[in-house]
């Protein structure tokens, strides 16, 4: 049973709930009664290990409240969520909320650059508002390659009742979490990366935490269902399809899309989609739901079953065909076909198209080129020649306490400059409300995925080759999709535009965990205007530092 709007107070969490109350008092003083009028919900999650064998080989899987995948976090626009996380692992732990935009509140981002970890045997309460947002997302562990052993779960942010949804209510909604899976323990995989090895080929694809033919979805003839699909894997793109059923794409990562039917959809690591599927096939039969790996050898398949009333145990016939495993052109053309629906509202009643991003002057141009390099006899991944290393103090805390020796502003070039690859702590300073053009350039023969915490951005263009100024003529400046995770195809580029409307210290990363773990990330520090000291974020324009903040490193121990 998912903990929808669940209120539980245990002895272990009582202190954390008191802390959360202090945080909400601070928010009230900052933003006034408007936020106080929004409902608050409390969740109590315990993170632990349990032996499971999704693909027939037991390993220690990270579960939340004994569940794998973890509980669905089910919220509505503007809800305030207080999630007390107790860490019963033997390692530090953090959760991050993939795609959820905590408004001016990077204190709750749950990545190593913004938060001190939750120590073994300790707990910490995340407290944030899902303000002005709808859509399908997921959470996952952000430290130490723990995502390779689970710990993830779905997030739904529903429309307020006063905001119409641009399609008829479905009979039911299903969360479909798909992703690659390794039978090896995550600590073994981490140690292998530390020795300079690559991640091995996955052992299979899971659907909702189980192997082939272990997950069933009940369909009633004539009914329409919403599937919220997320790729929660480590590094493998997947192609998703359902035997004899078309999928009507309606939403991706908080944006309603132009409604188009697809026989199959490529879903890259970290991405989420919502599709509507109508049960219009023969009653008394069952059908394959298939998620196959893309761009790797051998091809792997996750298989679930859709069952109509009275259906046979197993579907009949071959698996529904997908695109050729290495057809990048097919995948890129499909990605370009996904468009923003300008005529409908999302979290607010005004149409999505009322924000005319194509008419805004660009403040800065940034080119981020990923690469791989040997640094100190170790394989690393870089952005503009720098492979990220974390200091002993989270950047967010160092910034707040003005610890000037932890990182330097603008410590990464805003375009590749041919420098020799090196380790570094990459931070780019950007101004609140500026409108930024970013090009992700991928010179490697493998696909990349990129994510920006705290933001959605407009995917205005993608193509093969190297980006140059002439490519702007190909941009979609009218109805480009707005999302938070985007793929960059091999030897190709992807261009995005983003309004910096969310102050804080925000993580920009590869969504593939091996590249992220080995340095492919940076942070953008979005500063308010009119600040006398340009080296700091104006605290008065952000959510105050949480009363229960965990302090570590040079920021001092928690009291």
């Amino acid at each position: 049973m998912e903990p929808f709007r669940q209120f539980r107070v245990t002895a272990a969490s009582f202190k954390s709930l008191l802390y959360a109350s202090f945080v909400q008092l601070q928010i009230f003083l900052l933003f006034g009664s408007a936020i106080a009028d929004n409902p608050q919900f409390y969740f109590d999650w315990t993170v632990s290990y349990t032996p499971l064998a999704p693909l027939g080989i037991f390993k220690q899987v990270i579960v939340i409240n004994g569940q794998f995948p973890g509980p669905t976090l089910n919220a509505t626009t503007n809800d305030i969520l207080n999630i007390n996380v107790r860490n019963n692992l033997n390692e530090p732990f953090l959760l991050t909320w993939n795609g959820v935009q905590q408004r001016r509140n990077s204190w709750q981002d749950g990545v190593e650059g913004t938060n001190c970890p939750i120590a073994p045997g300790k707990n910490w309460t995340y407290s944030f508002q899902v303000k002005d947002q709808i859509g399908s997302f997921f959470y996952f562990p952000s430290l130490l390659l723990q995502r390779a052993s689970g710990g993830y779960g779905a997030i739904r942010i529903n429309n307020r009742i006063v905001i119409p949804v641009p399609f008829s209510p479905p009979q039911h909604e299903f969360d479909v979490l798909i992703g690659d899976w390794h039978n090896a323990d995550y600590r073994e995989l981490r140690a292998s990366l530390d020795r300079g090895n690559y991640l091995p080929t996955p052992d299979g694809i899971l659907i909702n935490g189980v192997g082939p033919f272990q997950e069933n979805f009940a369909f009633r003839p004539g009914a329409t269902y919403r599937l919220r699909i997320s790729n929660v894997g480590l590094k493998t793109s997947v192609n998703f399809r359902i035997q004899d059923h078309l999928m009507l794409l309606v939403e991706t990562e908080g944006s309603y899309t132009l409604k188009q039917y697809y026989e199959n959809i490529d879903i890259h690591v970290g991405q989420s989609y919502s599709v509507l599927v109508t049960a219009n096939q023969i009653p008394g039969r069952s059908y394959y739901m298939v998620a196959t790996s893309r761009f790797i050898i051998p091809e792997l398949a996750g298989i679930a079953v859709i069952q109509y009333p009275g259906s046979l145990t197993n579907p009949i016939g071959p698996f529904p065909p997908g695109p050729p495993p290495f057809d990048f052109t097919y995948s890129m053309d499909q990605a370009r076909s996904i468009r923003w629906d300008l005529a409908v509202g999302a979290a607010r009643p005004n149409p999505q198209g009322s924000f005319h991003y194509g008419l805004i002057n660009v403040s800065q141009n940034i080119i981020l080129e990923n690469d791989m390099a040997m640094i100190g006899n170790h394989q690393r991944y870089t952005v503009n020649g720098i492979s990220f290393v974390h200091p002993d103090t989270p950047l967010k805390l160092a910034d707040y306490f003005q610890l000037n020796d932890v990182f330097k502003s603008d410590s990464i070039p805003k375009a590749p400059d041919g420098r020799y690859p090196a380790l570094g702590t990459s931070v780019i300073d950007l101004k609140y409300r500026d409108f930024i053009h970013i090009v992700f350039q991928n010179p490697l023969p493998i696909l990349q995925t990129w994510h920006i915490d705290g933001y959605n951005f407009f995917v205005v263009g993608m193509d093969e080759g190297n980006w140059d100024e002439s490519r702007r003529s190909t941009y979609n400046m009218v109805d480009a999709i707005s999302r938070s995770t985007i793929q960059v195809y091999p030897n190709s580029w992807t261009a995005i535009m983003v309004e910096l409307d969310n102050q804080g210290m925000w993580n920009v990363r590869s969504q593939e965990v091996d590249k992220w773990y080995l340095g492919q990330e940076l942070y953008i520090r979005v500063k308010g205007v009119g600040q006398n000291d340009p080296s700091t974020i104006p605290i008065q324009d952000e959510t105050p530092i949480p009363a229960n903040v965990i302090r570590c490193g040079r920021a001092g121990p928690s009291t």
Side-chain angles (χ1 to χ4, degrees):
M1 179 67 68
E2 63 188 29
F4 175 51
R5 299 186 173 177
Q6 185 179 39
F7 185 95
R8 294 177 59 203
V9 180
T10 66
S13 63
F14 182 69
K15 183 177 180 181
S16 293
L17 296 182
L18 289 178
Y19 280 143
S21 298
F22 284 124
V23 172
Q24 296 309 321
L25 175 61
Q26 291 176 306
I27 295 173
F28 174 83
L29 294 174
L30 182 66
F31 295 112
S33 60
I35 196 169
D37 293 337
N38 294 302
Q40 296 198 46
F41 301 99
Y42 296 84
F43 303 83
D44 191 23
W45 289 1
T46 297
V47 181
S48 60
Y49 298 115
T50 195
L52 295 174
L55 295 177
I57 296 178
F58 278 93
K59 63 183 282 187
Q60 290 285 66
V61 174
I62 296 174
V63 297
I64 299 178
N65 290 353
Q67 302 176 40
F68 173 61
T72 295
L73 190 59
N74 203 337
T76 298
T77 303
N78 296 339
D79 282 355
I80 299 168
L81 307 181
N82 302 279
I83 306 163
N84 179 52
V85 176
R86 172 163 290 277
N87 178 16
N88 282 355
L89 306 183
N90 56 13
E91 292 186 327
F93 184 81
L94 284 173
L95 286 174
T96 191
W97 319 95
N98 195 71
V100 178
Q101 300 169 29
Q102 297 123 56
R103 305 305 297 174
R104 302 183 186 178
N105 194 10
S106 57
W107 294 109
Q108 311 292 329
D109 198 21
V111 291
E112 193 171 355
T114 58
N115 293 95
C116 297
I118 306 170
K122 302 296 183 179
N123 67 292
W124 191 65
T125 300
Y126 292 87
S127 183
F128 58 88
Q129 184 181 31
V130 291
K131 184 172 175 58
D132 292 334
Q133 194 172 17
I134 56 94
S136 307
F137 312 95
F138 65 97
Y139 59 85
F140 66 89
S142 65
L143 300 181
L144 300 172
L145 225 70
Q146 291 165 346
R147 183 168 164 186
S149 282
Y152 52 72
I155 300 174
R156 305 179 187 178
I157 305 179
N158 306 292
N159 288 64
R160 290 180 292 151
I161 196 169
V162 296
I163 307 297
V165 177
F167 47 84
S168 299
Q171 173 74 18
H172 187 70
E173 297 191 1
F174 293 108
D175 300 303
V176 185
L177 302 180
I178 54 180
D180 54 12
W181 185 256
H182 292 78
N183 288 327
D185 187 87
Y186 75 92
R187 288 157 289 205
E188 296 175 16
L189 296 174
R190 188 173 76 218
S192 180
L193 288 179
D194 289 338
R195 291 192 298 268
N197 299 319
Y198 296 102
L199 276 184
T201 301
D203 293 294
I205 303 291
L206 304 187
I207 298 181
N208 285 348
V210 294
F213 296 100
Q214 300 302 304
E215 179 76 342
N216 296 327
F217 297 87
F219 275 22
R220 183 172 59 82
T224 296
Y225 298 87
R226 181 176 183 174
L227 309 184
R228 296 177 182 257
I229 315 160
S230 295
N231 185 338
V232 297
L234 301 188
K235 62 178 300 178
T236 306
S237 298
V238 298
N239 182 267
F240 182 85
R241 52 200 185 270
I242 301 174
Q243 183 184 20
D244 296 339
H245 292 73
L246 290 175
M247 299 177 289
L248 182 64
L249 181 63
V250 295
E251 178 259 333
T252 179
E253 297 165 24
S255 293
Y256 287 124
T257 65
L258 282 177
K259 298 178 181 63
Q260 301 179 79
Y261 282 99
Y262 291 85
E263 293 181 349
N264 62 80
I265 297 177
D266 275 356
I267 306 177
H268 305 282
V269 177
Q271 293 184 337
S272 299
Y273 288 92
S274 281
V275 300
L276 299 181
V277 179
T278 298
N280 56 9
Q281 295 303 304
I282 301 171
R285 284 187 53 184
S286 56
Y287 297 86
Y288 295 112
M289 175 186 289
V290 178
T292 53
S293 60
R294 298 283 272 144
F295 320 130
I296 65 170
I297 297 174
E299 186 178 70
L300 306 171
I303 304 163
V305 176
I306 289 177
Q307 293 183 322
Y308 283 62
S311 66
L312 301 174
T313 302
N314 293 318
I316 59 175
F319 293 156
F326 285 87
D327 192 340
F328 290 105
T329 300
Y330 178 95
S331 186
M332 186 182 291
D333 287 345
Q334 183 184 84
R336 289 169 171 156
S337 73
I338 299 171
R339 293 286 189 264
W340 215 29
D341 191 338
L342 303 182
V344 304
R348 295 183 178 185
N350 51 296
Q352 293 180 144
S354 63
F355 183 80
H356 302 290
Y357 69 90
L359 302 179
I360 302 175
N361 291 327
V362 170
S363 307
Q364 286 196 56
N365 297 292
I366 298 172
I367 300 176
L368 299 177
E369 183 174 274
N370 62 265
D371 210 341
M372 54 194 301
M374 295 296 295
I375 302 176
N377 296 322
H378 288 280
Q379 180 65 58
R380 300 284 299 184
Y381 293 91
T382 63
V383 185
N384 289 357
I386 300 177
S387 185
F388 192 94
V389 289
H390 284 276
D392 62 1
T393 306
L395 306 180
K396 181 71 178 174
L397 282 176
D399 196 43
Y400 180 83
F401 290 110
Q402 299 186 42
L403 305 175
N404 297 324
D405 55 345
V406 173
F407 70 92
K408 294 182 179 179
S409 302
D410 292 326
S411 50
I412 179 174
K414 294 180 181 177
D417 59 3
R419 66 179 56 201
Y420 192 80
L423 303 177
T425 302
S426 302
V427 178
I428 295 179
D429 274 6
L430 297 171
K431 291 183 179 180
Y432 180 58
R433 291 298 184 188
D434 274 3
F435 193 67
I436 306 298
H437 169 238
I438 300 175
V439 176
F440 294 106
Q441 181 75 51
N442 178 20
L444 300 179
I446 53 176
L447 183 140
Q448 299 278 140
T449 57
W450 285 97
H451 176 83
I452 303 179
D453 278 353
Y455 283 93
N456 269 28
F457 45 73
F458 296 96
V459 185
V460 294
M462 60 175 62
D463 207 348
E464 298 176 350
N466 291 322
W467 183 88
D468 59 46
E469 287 292 337
S470 68
R471 303 292 191 140
R472 292 179 186 266
S473 65
T474 67
Y475 284 4
N476 175 2
M477 301 302 287
V478 178
D479 62 352
I481 193 64
S482 173
R483 62 185 316 154
S484 62
T485 300
I486 191 59
Q487 68 274 20
V488 190
Y489 292 94
N491 302 302
S492 300
W493 57 269
T494 296
I496 67 170
M497 292 184 174
V498 57
E499 184 186 28
L500 301 179
D501 59 354
N502 197 8
Q503 293 186 46
M505 183 78 71
W506 298 107
N507 185 240
V508 182
R509 63 174 178 267
S510 171
Q511 286 282 51
E512 298 152 74
V513 296
D514 55 342
K515 298 180 178 66
W516 184 12
Y517 180 74
L518 293 176
Q520 206 161 86
E521 68 175 312
L522 62 128
Y523 282 79
I524 56 173
R525 185 172 65 158
V526 181
K527 306 180 301 180
V529 296
Q531 179 72 8
N532 292 330
D533 181 2
S535 69
T536 60
I537 302 170
I539 300 302
Q540 67 270 21
D541 290 339
E542 281 195 276
T543 301
I545 184 171
N548 67 337
V549 68
I550 303 174
R551 295 173 63 171
C552 57
R554 276 172 270 180
S558 295
T559 57

